[in-house]
Amino acid sequence: MILYGYKGSLVRTTALPGAVCPACNSFNTMQASVYSQYAHVYYIPFFPFSKKAIAQCTSCQQGWEEKGLPAQLHTAVQSAKQSTRLPLWNWAGVGVVAVGIAWAAVAGQRHERDRNAWLVAPRAGDLYTVHSPGDSTKFSLLKVVSAHGNTVEVVQNEYEIDSNDPVSELNAPSKYSKESESLTQLDLQIMHNKGQLTDVTRLD
Ligand SMILES: [Zn+2]
């Protein structure tokens, strides 16, 4: 199975007015066909990387690739090639990736805003993703059980995992400590600024 590679596709065929066929000497029978070469991944065109042109006589059918092009056709074929714009669909894959990156950036910014808003106005049920104190590859959760004024009561999850997204795996009531502890808003901000509290999740 071919995952990636390149393909050629005909972009346009155009007459070369005034040209004489080097093979049969017919006048005004020459045409140039311009191809785009594009890289594809899983047959989705990603980006074009070159143009190729061939010249052909419509009378005697003789054709020439660029490499073996007779000198008298050179200028006309080059100008046909240069005036041919590569089709936009050759860029389809790059377009899809660019849209995906833009979408991720917007979603990331939105999540950042939510996280900051949730951190300054905690609500029972909020989950804080936290680093294990001694090991920044291990993550656990703190769950807010109540929030009053400047103070939040949290329970510590008794498990930790290697993923920075522990919510789906660890957020079960039985996995939390029975003892709660108090944290102040300032504590939370400090943990966040130190990178010890890496995310806030609010399950609605
Ligand atoms: Zn000819």
Side-chain angles (χ1 to χ4, degrees):
M1 187 165 164
I2 299 166
L3 304 185
Y4 61 92
Y6 64 89
K7 283 185 174 187
S9 92
L10 178 63
V11 181
R12 70 163 181 159
T13 296
T14 182
L16 303 177
V20 173
C21 173
C24 71
N25 288 322
S26 299
F27 182 67
N28 271 351
T29 56
M30 294 302 300
Q31 60 180 27
S33 295
V34 181
Y35 293 80
S36 78
Q37 287 196 293
Y38 62 87
H40 72 86
V41 179
Y42 283 107
Y43 303 105
I44 299 164
F46 249 71
F47 55 86
F49 57 90
S50 76
K51 284 188 272 194
K52 272 170 78 172
I54 61 164
Q56 193 179 26
C57 172
T58 55
S59 175
C60 71
Q61 306 303 321
Q62 173 81 40
W64 293 269
E65 290 193 29
E66 270 181 289
K67 264 189 269 177
L69 198 66
Q72 66 264 40
L73 293 175
H74 199 258
T75 308
V77 168
Q78 277 307 309
S79 98
K81 191 175 160 187
Q82 272 158 21
S83 64
T84 300
R85 291 184 51 172
L86 293 176
L88 226 44
W89 63 260
N90 279 190
W91 294 93
V94 165
V96 166
V97 169
V99 167
I101 289 171
W103 184 85
V106 168
Q109 274 172 8
R110 213 186 118 184
H111 184 68
E112 176 82 32
R113 272 206 309 273
D114 285 349
R115 180 166 56 213
N116 292 335
W118 294 339
L119 207 54
V120 296
R123 212 161 80 178
D126 284 356
L127 303 172
Y128 301 139
T129 299
V130 289
H131 271 311
S132 156
D135 184 349
S136 62
T137 63
K138 296 260 197 296
F139 293 84
S140 190
L141 289 171
L142 293 176
K143 182 163 80 173
V144 176
V145 288
S146 65
H148 302 287
N150 229 357
T151 312
V152 287
E153 288 289 313
V154 297
V155 283
Q156 167 80 55
N157 197 288
E158 292 176 328
Y159 298 81
E160 50 183 27
I161 60 170
D162 290 341
S163 152
N164 67 359
D165 186 16
V167 172
S168 56
E169 225 172 296
L170 298 189
N171 186 35
S174 63
K175 292 183 174 169
Y176 287 95
S177 161
K178 301 286 172 278
E179 307 274 309
S180 69
E181 54 182 308
S182 293
L183 292 173
T184 64
Q185 285 279 343
L186 188 63
D187 293 331
L188 293 176
Q189 281 302 335
I190 290 170
M191 286 168 73
H192 185 224
N193 293 343
K194 279 183 172 170
Q196 202 187 335
L197 187 163
T198 59
D199 204 3
V200 182
T201 306
R202 179 166 286 180
L203 304 168
D204 287 313

